[in-house]
Amino acid sequence: MALLNNLSIQQKLAIPTLIVAIIVVLSAAYSVRVSSVMTADFEETSNVFLHAIEKGLNADRDLYQALTASQDYIYKRQQGEDVSEELASFNENAQQALDRMHQTLELMKHYPTVMTMAEGFERDYNHWVEGAEQVLRLADQGDVSRAAALNSGEVSERFSQLRNYYDVVVEEAIRLSEVTMQETLHQAEMQKMSLLATISLVLLASGISVVFGPRLVTRRLNSLRKVIQGISSGDGDLRGRLDASGEDEVAVLARSFNGLMDKLQQLIARIKEDFITLDQSVSVMDDTTGESETIFKDQQSSLQQIVSAVAEVNKAAQSIADNSANAAGYTANAQKTASESRE
């Protein structure tokens, strides 16, 4: 997971596609290899086995025709008829049987089992030809009975032994052809299974990419959403942080978000400190205002006492003035009365 966090979103989204591409490429490479093997097997079957079987069967037919020609040679020589055609047929078919067998062995030279089976062919072929030519010479000498006896006896055994090479070589070529065809069919079956496996893997990889691919991107985005919801829900908890590990775009966004939360937390802490200081200042101002109000009331009471005292003093002074005026009046009246008394 830590490795995935170091990948960009584009790279994460490209991972499923890359996996599917790798599976398709591997499957295509395997299919190409299997197709090459199948093509080689078909070419081997058509260019080697079928030709070898064909030439082996024709060689066997030529050998049998050479035998028939030698038998006809004896019969016509016994009847005193012309045997040049039978002699030419014998020589031609015997040579063709040898040449076609050589061609068959040349085609099958890379198959040890065939070459092992063909060991001694040249010796037995020459042995049969020598016996057949001896039969023809005995017939030419007029000893037809001896020629027929030799042809049906020792030469016939040599022929059977020689023909056995043709039979086993053709049978082995047919067996190898069947084995190759079975391998080809097996390769075709494997290719079909590989194709089905590729389709299954592609579907599986596609399903995994559909289910888990978006989670590679949305997992931490969901964490961001939950943190933001926690902040906006009313609790105001700014302590939540996102996983910022990795180098993808979500990690960059997470680091930016965490930085924003750090700054908001610091800002709110400073605001809280300023509010506490302001609250303390307001409390001090409230205390100062109370003291000022008390002093003002005391001063007001003193002023009222002073005003009352001044009023009493004024009243006393007025009373004194009135008394002084009355005394002066009395004095003046007394002086007037005294004066009148002296007169």
Side-chain angles (χ1 to χ4, degrees), residues 50-262:
L50 293 182
H51 287 172
I53 293 170
E54 178 186 6
K55 291 184 180 298
L57 292 175
N58 288 333
D60 183 66
R61 182 200 61 192
D62 293 333
L63 184 65
Y64 184 79
Q65 288 179 348
L67 175 64
T68 302
S70 65
Q71 292 174 344
D72 291 342
Y73 186 93
I74 296 172
Y75 176 77
K76 286 190 175 183
R77 179 62 76 180
Q78 184 179 10
Q79 299 297 322
E81 298 179 4
D82 182 28
V83 295
S84 57
E85 184 177 348
E86 282 69 22
L87 180 60
S89 176
F90 171 80
N91 291 330
E92 179 182 1
N93 285 291
Q95 186 61 44
Q96 287 181 351
L98 177 63
D99 294 340
R100 285 175 174 168
M101 187 59 169
H102 285 164
Q103 293 172 359
T104 300
L105 295 177
E106 178 65 22
L107 289 170
M108 303 295 293
K109 64 182 179 181
H110 298 298
Y111 301 91
T113 56
V114 175
M115 302 309 295
T116 300
M117 292 176 178
E119 290 180 357
F121 167 75
E122 295 289 342
R123 181 191 68 247
D124 290 342
Y125 176 82
N126 292 329
H127 197 198
W128 170 75
V129 170
E130 291 175 358
E133 290 177 346
Q134 184 179 359
V135 169
L136 297 182
R137 286 195 299 270
L138 289 174
D140 289 339
Q141 295 172 2
D143 195 352
V144 177
S145 298
R146 186 180 173 187
L150 180 63
N151 190 51
S152 60
E154 183 180 352
V155 174
S156 178
E157 292 178 358
R158 294 180 184 179
F159 176 82
S160 298
Q161 185 176 357
L162 176 62
R163 191 177 182 187
N164 183 64
Y165 288 103
Y166 292 86
D167 292 339
V168 296
V169 167
V170 171
E171 289 174 358
E172 183 64 12
I174 293 174
R175 187 189 72 81
L176 291 174
S177 176
E178 290 176 350
V179 170
T180 302
M181 289 302 298
Q182 289 296 328
E183 291 177 353
T184 303
L185 293 175
H186 177 69
Q187 292 290 339
E189 186 68 20
M190 291 297 295
Q191 186 176 24
K192 182 177 73 174
M193 296 300 295
S194 173
L195 180 60
L196 293 176
T198 300
I199 294 174
S200 300
L201 289 176
V202 168
L203 292 177
L204 178 62
S206 300
I208 292 175
S209 65
V210 170
V211 175
F212 295 100
R215 295 185 183 180
L216 296 176
V217 179
T218 60
R219 182 175 58 87
R220 287 194 286 180
L221 291 179
N222 289 332
S223 300
L224 174 61
R225 177 180 56 80
K226 291 179 181 179
V227 172
I228 294 176
Q229 285 179 346
I231 296 173
S232 62
S233 62
D235 296 337
D237 186 4
L238 301 179
R239 293 173 297 176
R241 295 295 184 270
L242 297 177
D243 180 12
S245 61
E247 299 297 331
D248 61 355
E249 293 84 350
V250 178
V252 174
L253 177 61
R255 284 193 287 270
S256 299
F257 177 81
N258 292 341
L260 175 61
M261 290 297 101
D262 291 337

